[in-house]
Each structure stands twice: as structure tokens, then as C-alpha cells.
Amino acid sequence: MGFDKVFKNIEKKSGVNMAEIFKLADSIKGANFKDEKTVREIIRKVGQIANKPVPKKKEDELVKAIISDPGKINMDTITKMMNKKKK
């Protein structure tokens, strides 16, 4: 199975446009993850692509975590934080 078919399957199952994912990935290469404005823009873009608006409180938590130690943050960490259930 070629990459095109794999990406089409992902798009079909998730509703996420793979072209948008690649565009986002290119846009954040070399991004300054110590800059709050940049980090907020990336978080909002991820929410838009995933069709999951990020509440202000969650955005603030993500921004604080990313800015405090950008080397420790990866997509898995962000995904877990976005999906964490409220207590």
C-alpha cells in the first residue's frame, strides 16, 4: 500500500487533513518554543486541524508547560494533556 492510500485512510478515519498536518509540521520547524505568542498559535492551529477547540484554561496550561521546558514536550505529551479528563 502506498503512502497516498495510508494518508487517505487516516484522513477518512480521523477527519484530519494530512496536508494540513504536513503544513503545520513545516511551519513549526525551528519555532521558538520559549515565545508565548508562537506557542499559542501552534496550540490553536493543532486544535483547528483536529477540530477540537482548546479551552482557554487548557491552552494556558499547555503554554506554561511548553515554555517552561520545551525540550521535554512532544506531540504525545501535548495529546495527553489535551485529552486529560477533568476531575
Side-chain angles (χ1 to χ4, degrees):
M1 182 183 305
F3 283 119
D4 288 341
K5 285 189 177 191
V6 171
F7 293 146
K8 291 292 180 198
N9 283 338
I10 292 170
E11 288 177 350
K12 185 177 176 181
K13 290 179 182 179
S14 69
V16 175
N17 183 314
M18 292 306 295
E20 288 294 317
I21 296 292
F22 291 125
K23 186 176 170 183
L24 175 64
D26 282 341
S27 74
I28 63 174
K29 286 181 185 172
N32 179 1
F33 287 97
K34 290 277 189 186
D35 178 57
E36 181 177 337
K37 182 180 177 192
T38 300
V39 173
R40 286 190 187 277
E41 287 174 4
I42 292 168
I43 291 168
R44 289 176 186 149
K45 185 65 178 172
V46 170
Q48 287 174 345
I49 291 171
N51 200 23
K52 277 185 114 176
V54 180
K56 176 76 170 119
K57 183 177 179 184
K58 183 59 69 177
E59 181 181 308
D60 291 342
E61 290 173 12
L62 288 165
V63 168
K64 183 179 176 184
I66 292 168
I67 289 175
S68 69
D69 193 358
K72 203 172 176 182
I73 300 295
N74 58 42
M75 283 306 292
D76 187 49
T77 306
I78 293 170
T79 302
K80 285 179 183 175
M81 289 178 78
M82 289 179 73
N83 290 326
K84 190 164 80 173
K85 302 286 184 208
K86 292 182 180 179
K87 293 180 181 180

Coordinates of all heavy atoms in Angstrom, one line a residue:
M1 N 0.8 -1.2 0.0 CA 0.0 0.0 0.0 C 0.9 1.2 0.0 O 1.8 1.4 0.8 CB -0.9 0.0 1.3 CG -1.8 1.1 1.3 SD -2.9 1.3 2.8 CE -3.7 -0.3 2.9
G2 N 0.6 2.2 -0.9 CA 1.4 3.4 -1.0 C 1.1 4.4 0.1 O 0.0 4.3 0.8
F3 N 1.9 5.4 0.3 CA 1.7 6.4 1.3 C 0.4 7.1 1.0 O -0.3 7.5 2.0 CB 2.9 7.4 1.3 CG 4.1 6.8 2.0 CD1 5.3 6.7 1.4 CD2 4.0 6.5 3.4 CE1 6.4 6.2 2.0 CE2 5.1 6.0 4.0 CZ 6.3 5.9 3.3
D4 N 0.1 7.4 -0.2 CA -1.2 8.1 -0.5 C -2.4 7.4 0.0 O -3.3 8.0 0.6 CB -1.4 8.3 -2.0 CG -0.4 9.3 -2.6 OD1 0.1 10.1 -1.8 OD2 -0.2 9.3 -3.8
K5 N -2.4 6.1 -0.1 CA -3.5 5.3 0.4 C -3.5 5.3 1.9 O -4.6 5.4 2.6 CB -3.5 3.9 -0.1 CG -3.9 3.7 -1.5 CD -4.1 2.3 -2.0 CE -4.6 2.2 -3.4 NZ -5.0 0.9 -3.8
V6 N -2.4 5.2 2.5 CA -2.3 5.3 4.0 C -2.8 6.6 4.5 O -3.6 6.6 5.4 CB -0.8 5.1 4.5 CG1 -0.7 5.3 6.0 CG2 -0.3 3.7 4.2
F7 N -2.4 7.7 3.9 CA -2.9 9.0 4.3 C -4.4 9.2 4.1 O -5.1 9.8 4.9 CB -2.1 10.1 3.6 CG -0.6 10.2 4.0 CD1 0.3 10.5 3.0 CD2 -0.2 9.9 5.2 CE1 1.7 10.6 3.4 CE2 1.1 9.9 5.6 CZ 2.1 10.3 4.7
K8 N -4.9 8.7 3.0 CA -6.3 8.7 2.7 C -7.1 8.0 3.8 O -8.1 8.4 4.2 CB -6.6 8.2 1.3 CG -6.1 9.1 0.2 CD -6.9 10.4 0.2 CE -6.3 11.2 -1.0 NZ -6.7 12.6 -0.9
N9 N -6.6 6.8 4.2 CA -7.2 6.0 5.3 C -7.2 6.8 6.6 O -8.2 6.8 7.3 CB -6.5 4.7 5.4 CG -6.9 3.7 4.4 OD1 -8.0 3.8 3.7 ND2 -6.1 2.7 4.2
I10 N -6.1 7.4 6.9 CA -6.0 8.2 8.1 C -7.0 9.4 8.1 O -7.7 9.6 9.0 CB -4.6 8.8 8.3 CG1 -3.6 7.6 8.7 CG2 -4.5 9.8 9.5 CD1 -2.2 8.0 8.7
E11 N -7.1 10.1 6.9 CA -8.0 11.2 6.8 C -9.4 10.7 6.9 O -10.2 11.3 7.6 CB -7.8 11.8 5.4 CG -6.6 12.6 5.3 CD -6.3 13.2 3.9 OE1 -7.1 12.9 3.0 OE2 -5.5 14.1 3.8
K12 N -9.7 9.5 6.3 CA -11.1 9.0 6.4 C -11.5 8.7 7.8 O -12.6 9.0 8.2 CB -11.2 7.8 5.5 CG -12.6 7.2 5.3 CD -12.6 6.0 4.4 CE -13.9 5.4 4.3 NZ -13.9 4.2 3.4
K13 N -10.6 8.0 8.5 CA -10.9 7.6 9.9 C -10.9 8.7 10.9 O -11.7 8.7 11.8 CB -9.9 6.5 10.3 CG -10.1 5.2 9.6 CD -9.1 4.1 10.0 CE -9.4 2.8 9.2 NZ -8.4 1.8 9.6
S14 N -10.0 9.7 10.7 CA -9.8 10.7 11.7 C -10.5 12.0 11.4 O -10.8 12.8 12.2 CB -8.3 11.0 12.0 OG -7.8 11.6 10.8
G15 N -10.7 12.2 10.1 CA -11.3 13.5 9.6 C -10.2 14.6 9.6 O -10.5 15.8 9.4
V16 N -9.0 14.2 9.8 CA -7.9 15.2 9.8 C -7.2 15.2 8.5 O -6.8 14.1 7.9 CB -6.8 14.8 10.9 CG1 -5.6 15.8 10.9 CG2 -7.5 14.9 12.3
N17 N -7.0 16.4 7.9 CA -6.4 16.5 6.6 C -4.9 16.4 6.7 O -4.3 17.2 7.4 CB -6.8 17.9 6.0 CG -6.3 18.1 4.6 OD1 -5.1 17.8 4.3 ND2 -7.1 18.6 3.7
M18 N -4.3 15.4 6.1 CA -2.9 15.1 6.2 C -2.1 16.3 5.6 O -1.0 16.6 6.1 CB -2.5 13.8 5.6 CG -3.1 12.6 6.3 SD -2.7 12.5 8.1 CE -0.9 12.3 8.0
A19 N -2.6 16.9 4.6 CA -1.8 18.1 4.0 C -1.7 19.2 5.1 O -0.6 19.8 5.2 CB -2.6 18.6 2.8
E20 N -2.7 19.4 5.9 CA -2.7 20.4 6.9 C -1.7 20.0 8.0 O -1.0 20.8 8.6 CB -4.1 20.6 7.6 CG -5.0 21.3 6.7 CD -4.6 22.7 6.4 OE1 -4.2 23.4 7.4 OE2 -4.7 23.2 5.3
I21 N -1.6 18.7 8.3 CA -0.6 18.2 9.3 C 0.8 18.5 8.8 O 1.7 19.0 9.5 CB -0.8 16.7 9.5 CG1 -2.1 16.4 10.2 CG2 0.4 16.1 10.4 CD1 -2.3 16.9 11.6
F22 N 1.1 18.2 7.5 CA 2.4 18.4 7.0 C 2.7 19.9 6.9 O 3.9 20.3 7.2 CB 2.6 17.8 5.6 CG 2.6 16.3 5.7 CD1 1.7 15.5 4.9 CD2 3.5 15.6 6.5 CE1 1.7 14.1 4.9 CE2 3.5 14.2 6.5 CZ 2.6 13.5 5.8
K23 N 1.7 20.7 6.6 CA 1.9 22.1 6.6 C 2.2 22.7 8.0 O 3.1 23.5 8.1 CB 0.6 22.8 6.0 CG 0.7 24.3 5.8 CD -0.6 24.7 5.2 CE -0.7 26.2 5.2 NZ -2.0 26.7 4.6
L24 N 1.5 22.2 9.0 CA 1.8 22.5 10.4 C 3.2 22.1 10.8 O 4.0 22.9 11.4 CB 0.8 21.9 11.3 CG 1.0 22.2 12.8 CD1 1.0 23.6 13.1 CD2 0.1 21.4 13.6
A25 N 3.6 20.9 10.4 CA 4.9 20.4 10.8 C 6.0 21.3 10.2 O 7.0 21.6 10.9 CB 5.1 18.9 10.3
D26 N 5.8 21.6 8.9 CA 6.8 22.5 8.3 C 6.9 23.9 9.0 O 7.9 24.5 9.1 CB 6.5 22.7 6.8 CG 6.9 21.5 6.0 OD1 7.7 20.7 6.4 OD2 6.4 21.4 4.8
S27 N 5.7 24.4 9.4 CA 5.7 25.7 10.0 C 6.3 25.8 11.3 O 6.7 26.9 11.8 CB 4.2 26.2 10.0 OG 3.5 25.6 11.0
I28 N 6.4 24.7 12.0 CA 6.9 24.7 13.4 C 8.4 24.3 13.5 O 9.0 24.4 14.5 CB 6.1 23.9 14.4 CG1 6.1 22.4 14.1 CG2 4.7 24.5 14.5 CD1 5.4 21.6 15.1
K29 N 8.9 23.9 12.3 CA 10.4 23.6 12.3 C 11.1 24.8 12.7 O 11.0 25.9 12.1 CB 10.8 23.1 10.9 CG 10.4 21.7 10.6 CD 10.9 21.4 9.2 CE 10.3 20.0 8.8 NZ 10.6 19.7 7.4
G30 N 11.9 24.7 13.7 CA 12.7 25.9 14.2 C 11.9 26.9 14.9 O 12.5 28.0 15.2
A31 N 10.7 26.6 15.3 CA 9.9 27.6 16.0 C 10.5 27.8 17.4 O 11.1 27.0 18.0 CB 8.4 27.1 16.1
N32 N 10.3 29.0 17.9 CA 10.8 29.4 19.2 C 9.7 29.0 20.3 O 8.8 29.7 20.5 CB 11.0 30.9 19.3 CG 11.5 31.4 20.6 OD1 11.7 30.6 21.5 ND2 11.8 32.7 20.8
F33 N 10.0 27.9 20.9 CA 9.0 27.4 21.9 C 9.1 28.0 23.2 O 8.5 27.7 24.2 CB 9.1 25.9 22.0 CG 8.5 25.2 20.8 CD1 9.3 24.7 19.8 CD2 7.2 25.0 20.7 CE1 8.8 24.1 18.7 CE2 6.6 24.3 19.6 CZ 7.4 23.9 18.6
K34 N 10.0 29.1 23.3 CA 10.0 29.9 24.5 C 9.2 31.2 24.3 O 9.0 31.9 25.3 CB 11.5 30.3 24.8 CG 12.4 29.2 25.2 CD 12.2 29.0 26.7 CE 13.2 28.0 27.2 NZ 13.0 27.6 28.6
D35 N 8.7 31.4 23.1 CA 7.9 32.6 22.8 C 6.4 32.2 23.0 O 5.8 31.4 22.3 CB 8.1 33.0 21.4 CG 7.3 34.2 21.0 OD1 7.3 35.2 21.7 OD2 6.5 34.1 20.0
E36 N 5.7 32.9 23.9 CA 4.3 32.6 24.2 C 3.4 32.7 23.0 O 2.5 31.9 22.8 CB 3.8 33.5 25.4 CG 2.4 33.2 25.8 CD 1.9 34.0 27.0 OE1 2.8 34.5 27.8 OE2 0.7 34.1 27.1
K37 N 3.6 33.8 22.3 CA 2.7 34.0 21.1 C 2.8 32.9 20.1 O 1.8 32.4 19.6 CB 3.0 35.3 20.5 CG 2.2 35.7 19.3 CD 2.5 37.0 18.7 CE 1.6 37.2 17.4 NZ 2.1 38.3 16.6
T38 N 4.0 32.4 19.8 CA 4.3 31.3 18.9 C 3.6 30.1 19.4 O 2.9 29.4 18.7 CB 5.8 31.1 18.7 OG1 6.4 32.3 18.2 CG2 6.1 29.9 17.8
V39 N 3.8 29.8 20.7 CA 3.3 28.5 21.3 C 1.7 28.6 21.2 O 1.1 27.6 20.9 CB 3.8 28.3 22.7 CG1 3.1 27.2 23.4 CG2 5.3 28.1 22.7
R40 N 1.1 29.7 21.5 CA -0.3 29.8 21.5 C -0.9 29.6 20.1 O -1.9 28.9 19.9 CB -0.8 31.1 22.0 CG -0.7 31.2 23.5 CD -1.4 32.5 24.1 NE -1.1 32.6 25.5 CZ -1.8 31.9 26.4 NH1 -2.8 31.2 26.1 NH2 -1.4 32.1 27.7
E41 N -0.2 30.1 19.1 CA -0.6 30.0 17.7 C -0.5 28.5 17.3 O -1.4 28.0 16.6 CB 0.3 30.8 16.7 CG 0.0 32.3 16.8 CD 1.0 33.1 16.0 OE1 1.9 32.6 15.3 OE2 0.9 34.4 16.1
I42 N 0.5 27.8 17.7 CA 0.6 26.4 17.4 C -0.5 25.6 18.0 O -1.1 24.7 17.4 CB 2.0 25.9 17.8 CG1 3.1 26.5 16.9 CG2 2.1 24.3 17.7 CD1 4.5 26.3 17.3
I43 N -0.7 25.8 19.3 CA -1.8 25.1 20.0 C -3.1 25.3 19.3 O -3.9 24.4 19.1 CB -1.8 25.6 21.5 CG1 -0.6 25.1 22.2 CG2 -3.1 25.0 22.2 CD1 -0.4 25.7 23.6
R44 N -3.4 26.6 19.0 CA -4.7 26.9 18.3 C -4.8 26.2 16.9 O -5.9 25.7 16.6 CB -4.9 28.4 18.2 CG -5.1 29.0 19.5 CD -5.2 30.5 19.4 NE -5.3 31.1 20.7 CZ -4.8 32.3 21.0 NH1 -4.2 33.1 20.1 NH2 -5.0 32.8 22.2
K45 N -3.7 26.2 16.2 CA -3.7 25.5 14.9 C -3.9 24.0 15.0 O -4.7 23.4 14.3 CB -2.4 25.8 14.2 CG -2.3 25.3 12.8 CD -3.3 26.0 11.9 CE -3.3 25.5 10.5 NZ -4.3 26.0 9.6
V46 N -3.3 23.4 16.0 CA -3.5 22.0 16.3 C -5.0 21.7 16.6 O -5.6 20.8 16.1 CB -2.6 21.4 17.4 CG1 -3.0 20.0 17.8 CG2 -1.1 21.5 16.9
G47 N -5.6 22.5 17.4 CA -7.0 22.4 17.7 C -7.9 22.5 16.5 O -8.8 21.8 16.3
Q48 N -7.5 23.5 15.6 CA -8.3 23.7 14.4 C -8.2 22.4 13.5 O -9.2 22.0 13.0 CB -7.8 24.9 13.6 CG -8.2 26.2 14.3 CD -7.6 27.4 13.5 OE1 -6.6 27.2 12.7 NE2 -8.0 28.6 13.8
I49 N -7.0 22.0 13.3 CA -6.8 20.8 12.4 C -7.5 19.6 13.0 O -8.2 18.8 12.2 CB -5.3 20.5 12.3 CG1 -4.6 21.6 11.5 CG2 -5.1 19.1 11.6 CD1 -3.1 21.5 11.4
A50 N -7.5 19.4 14.3 CA -8.1 18.3 14.9 C -9.6 18.5 15.1 O -10.3 17.6 15.6 CB -7.5 17.9 16.2
N51 N -10.1 19.7 14.8 CA -11.5 20.1 15.0 C -11.9 19.9 16.5 O -13.0 19.4 16.8 CB -12.4 19.3 14.1 CG -13.8 19.9 13.9 OD1 -13.9 21.1 14.1 ND2 -14.8 19.2 13.6
K52 N -10.9 20.3 17.4 CA -11.1 20.2 18.8 C -10.7 21.5 19.4 O -9.5 21.8 19.7 CB -10.3 19.1 19.4 CG -10.8 17.7 19.4 CD -9.9 16.8 20.1 CE -10.6 16.3 21.3 NZ -9.9 15.3 22.1
P53 N -11.6 22.5 19.6 CA -11.2 23.7 20.2 C -10.6 23.5 21.5 O -11.0 22.7 22.3 CB -12.6 24.5 20.3 CG -13.5 23.8 19.4 CD -13.0 22.4 19.3
V54 N -9.6 24.3 21.8 CA -8.9 24.2 23.1 C -9.4 25.3 24.0 O -9.2 26.5 23.7 CB -7.3 24.3 22.9 CG1 -6.6 24.2 24.2 CG2 -6.8 23.3 21.9
P55 N -10.0 24.9 25.1 CA -10.5 25.9 26.1 C -9.3 26.8 26.6 O -8.2 26.3 26.7 CB -11.1 25.1 27.2 CG -11.3 23.7 26.7 CD -10.3 23.5 25.6
K56 N -9.6 28.0 27.0 CA -8.6 29.0 27.4 C -7.8 28.4 28.6 O -6.5 28.5 28.6 CB -9.3 30.3 27.8 CG -8.3 31.3 28.4 CD -7.5 32.0 27.3 CE -6.8 33.2 27.9 NZ -5.4 33.1 27.8
K57 N -8.4 27.8 29.5 CA -7.7 27.2 30.7 C -6.7 26.2 30.2 O -5.5 26.1 30.7 CB -8.7 26.7 31.7 CG -8.0 26.2 33.0 CD -9.0 25.7 34.0 CE -8.3 25.1 35.2 NZ -9.2 24.6 36.2
K58 N -7.1 25.3 29.3 CA -6.2 24.2 28.8 C -5.1 24.8 28.0 O -4.0 24.4 28.1 CB -7.0 23.2 28.0 CG -6.2 22.0 27.5 CD -5.6 21.2 28.6 CE -6.6 20.5 29.4 NZ -6.0 19.6 30.5
E59 N -5.4 25.8 27.2 CA -4.4 26.5 26.4 C -3.3 27.1 27.3 O -2.1 27.0 27.1 CB -5.0 27.6 25.6 CG -4.0 28.3 24.7 CD -4.7 29.4 23.9 OE1 -5.7 29.2 23.2 OE2 -4.2 30.6 23.9
D60 N -3.8 27.7 28.4 CA -2.8 28.3 29.4 C -1.9 27.3 30.0 O -0.7 27.5 30.2 CB -3.6 29.1 30.5 CG -4.3 30.4 30.0 OD1 -3.9 30.9 28.9 OD2 -5.2 30.9 30.7
E61 N -2.5 26.1 30.3 CA -1.7 25.0 30.9 C -0.7 24.5 29.9 O 0.5 24.3 30.3 CB -2.6 23.9 31.3 CG -3.5 24.1 32.5 CD -4.5 23.0 32.7 OE1 -4.4 21.9 32.2 OE2 -5.5 23.2 33.5
L62 N -1.1 24.3 28.7 CA -0.2 23.9 27.7 C 0.9 24.9 27.4 O 2.1 24.5 27.3 CB -0.9 23.6 26.3 CG -1.8 22.4 26.3 CD1 -2.8 22.5 25.1 CD2 -1.0 21.1 26.3
V63 N 0.6 26.1 27.3 CA 1.6 27.2 27.1 C 2.6 27.2 28.2 O 3.8 27.2 28.0 CB 0.9 28.6 26.9 CG1 2.0 29.7 27.0 CG2 0.1 28.6 25.6
K64 N 2.1 27.2 29.4 CA 3.0 27.2 30.6 C 4.0 26.0 30.6 O 5.2 26.1 30.8 CB 2.2 27.2 31.9 CG 3.0 27.3 33.2 CD 2.2 27.3 34.4 CE 3.0 27.3 35.6 NZ 2.2 27.2 36.9
A65 N 3.4 24.8 30.3 CA 4.3 23.6 30.3 C 5.3 23.6 29.2 O 6.5 23.3 29.4 CB 3.4 22.3 30.1
I66 N 4.9 24.1 28.0 CA 5.8 24.1 26.8 C 6.9 25.2 27.0 O 8.1 24.9 26.8 CB 5.0 24.4 25.5 CG1 4.1 23.1 25.2 CG2 6.0 24.7 24.4 CD1 3.1 23.4 24.2
I67 N 6.5 26.4 27.5 CA 7.5 27.4 27.7 C 8.5 27.1 28.8 O 9.7 27.4 28.7 CB 6.8 28.8 27.9 CG1 6.1 29.2 26.6 CG2 7.8 29.8 28.4 CD1 5.3 30.5 26.8
S68 N 8.0 26.4 29.8 CA 8.9 26.2 31.0 C 10.0 25.1 30.6 O 11.1 25.2 31.2 CB 8.1 25.7 32.2 OG 7.6 24.4 31.9
D69 N 9.7 24.2 29.7 CA 10.7 23.2 29.3 C 10.4 22.6 28.0 O 9.9 21.5 27.9 CB 10.8 22.1 30.4 CG 12.0 21.2 30.2 OD1 12.8 21.4 29.3 OD2 12.1 20.2 31.0
P70 N 10.7 23.4 26.9 CA 10.3 23.0 25.6 C 10.9 21.7 25.1 O 10.3 20.9 24.3 CB 10.7 24.1 24.7 CG 11.6 25.0 25.5 CD 11.3 24.7 26.9
G71 N 12.1 21.3 25.6 CA 12.7 20.1 25.2 C 12.0 18.9 25.8 O 12.2 17.8 25.2
K72 N 11.2 19.0 26.8 CA 10.5 17.9 27.4 C 9.2 17.6 26.8 O 8.6 16.6 27.0 CB 10.3 18.3 28.9 CG 10.1 17.1 29.8 CD 10.1 17.6 31.2 CE 9.8 16.5 32.2 NZ 9.7 16.9 33.6
I73 N 8.7 18.5 26.0 CA 7.4 18.4 25.4 C 7.5 17.8 24.0 O 8.3 18.2 23.2 CB 6.7 19.8 25.2 CG1 6.5 20.5 26.6 CG2 5.4 19.7 24.5 CD1 5.6 19.7 27.5
N74 N 6.6 16.9 23.7 CA 6.5 16.3 22.4 C 5.0 16.1 22.1 O 4.1 16.4 22.9 CB 7.3 15.0 22.3 CG 6.8 13.9 23.3 OD1 5.6 13.8 23.5 ND2 7.7 13.3 23.9
M75 N 4.7 15.6 20.9 CA 3.3 15.5 20.5 C 2.5 14.6 21.4 O 1.3 14.8 21.7 CB 3.1 15.0 19.0 CG 3.4 16.1 18.0 SD 2.4 17.6 18.2 CE 0.8 17.0 17.8
D76 N 3.1 13.5 21.9 CA 2.5 12.6 22.8 C 2.1 13.3 24.1 O 1.0 13.2 24.6 CB 3.4 11.4 23.1 CG 2.7 10.3 23.9 OD1 1.6 10.0 23.5 OD2 3.3 9.9 24.9
T77 N 3.0 14.1 24.6 CA 2.7 14.9 25.9 C 1.6 15.9 25.6 O 0.7 15.9 26.5 CB 4.0 15.7 26.3 OG1 5.1 14.8 26.4 CG2 3.8 16.4 27.6
I78 N 1.6 16.6 24.5 CA 0.5 17.5 24.2 C -0.8 16.8 24.1 O -1.8 17.2 24.6 CB 0.9 18.4 23.0 CG1 2.1 19.3 23.3 CG2 -0.3 19.2 22.6 CD1 2.7 19.9 22.1
T79 N -0.8 15.7 23.4 CA -2.0 14.9 23.2 C -2.6 14.5 24.5 O -3.8 14.6 24.8 CB -1.8 13.7 22.3 OG1 -1.3 14.2 21.0 CG2 -3.0 12.9 22.0
K80 N -1.8 14.0 25.4 CA -2.2 13.5 26.7 C -2.8 14.7 27.5 O -3.8 14.5 28.2 CB -1.1 12.9 27.5 CG -0.7 11.5 27.0 CD 0.4 10.9 27.7 CE 0.8 9.5 27.2 NZ 2.0 9.0 27.8
M81 N -2.1 15.8 27.4 CA -2.6 17.0 28.2 C -4.0 17.5 27.6 O -4.9 17.8 28.4 CB -1.6 18.1 28.1 CG -0.4 17.9 28.9 SD 0.8 19.2 28.8 CE 0.1 20.5 29.9
M82 N -4.2 17.4 26.3 CA -5.4 17.9 25.7 C -6.6 16.9 26.0 O -7.7 17.3 26.1 CB -5.3 18.1 24.2 CG -4.4 19.2 23.8 SD -4.2 19.5 22.1 CE -5.8 20.0 21.6
N83 N -6.2 15.6 26.1 CA -7.3 14.6 26.4 C -7.5 14.3 27.8 O -8.4 13.5 28.1 CB -6.9 13.3 25.6 CG -7.0 13.5 24.1 OD1 -7.9 14.2 23.6 ND2 -6.1 12.8 23.4
K84 N -6.7 14.9 28.7 CA -6.9 14.6 30.1 C -8.3 15.0 30.6 O -8.8 16.1 30.3 CB -5.8 15.4 30.9 CG -5.7 15.0 32.4 CD -4.4 15.5 33.0 CE -4.5 17.0 33.4 NZ -3.4 17.4 34.2
K85 N -8.9 14.1 31.3 CA -10.3 14.3 31.8 C -10.2 15.3 33.0 O -9.3 15.2 33.8 CB -10.9 13.0 32.3 CG -11.0 12.0 31.2 CD -12.1 12.3 30.2 CE -12.2 11.2 29.2 NZ -12.6 11.6 27.9
K86 N -11.2 16.1 33.1 CA -11.4 17.0 34.3 C -11.8 16.2 35.5 O -12.6 15.2 35.3 CB -12.4 18.1 34.0 CG -11.9 19.1 32.9 CD -13.0 20.1 32.7 CE -12.5 21.1 31.7 NZ -13.5 22.2 31.4
K87 N -11.3 16.6 36.6 CA -11.7 15.8 37.9 C -12.9 16.5 38.5 O -13.2 17.6 38.4 CB -10.5 15.8 38.8 CG -9.4 15.0 38.3 CD -8.2 15.0 39.3 CE -7.1 14.2 38.7 NZ -6.0 14.1 39.6

